Amino acid sequence: MQAMVDKDKCIGCGLCPTICTQVFGMGEDGKAEVMCEGLGEEVQDSAQEARDGCPVDAISIEA
Ligand code: F3S
């Protein structure tokens, strides 16, 4: 699994790094970034929670 952030959609609300610190961080541009290559089993649930919580649907997760 891999998470992706669509920077054109992200409004920098900061929710995803709060929900899933291991996977998401805020970049210098004020938008979210994916901090890791691939999603380990231990972070998949919280990464999906972050995706579901994003107010602008900027996060996608692919198998
Ligand atoms: Fe951006 Fe959505 Fe995260 S708006 S900061 S990708 S929760």
Side-chain angles (χ1 to χ4, degrees):
M1 279 185 151
Q2 179 63 51
M4 277 158 293
V5 173
D6 183 340
K7 288 208 176 223
D8 292 334
K9 284 190 186 172
C10 175
I11 54 171
C13 79
L15 185 70
C16 54
T18 308
I19 294 177
C20 187
T21 328
Q22 302 97 318
V23 175
F24 301 100
M26 298 307 287
E28 284 181 6
D29 57 2
K31 302 196 173 189
E33 284 178 355
V34 174
M35 312 297 284
C36 59
E37 200 50 53
L39 299 183
E41 226 169 85
E42 70 287 356
V43 297
Q44 289 177 5
D45 283 353
S46 60
Q48 281 166 347
E49 208 180 303
R51 175 200 58 197
D52 295 345
C54 176
V56 293
D57 283 335
I59 299 172
S60 54
I61 295 176
E62 287 188 356

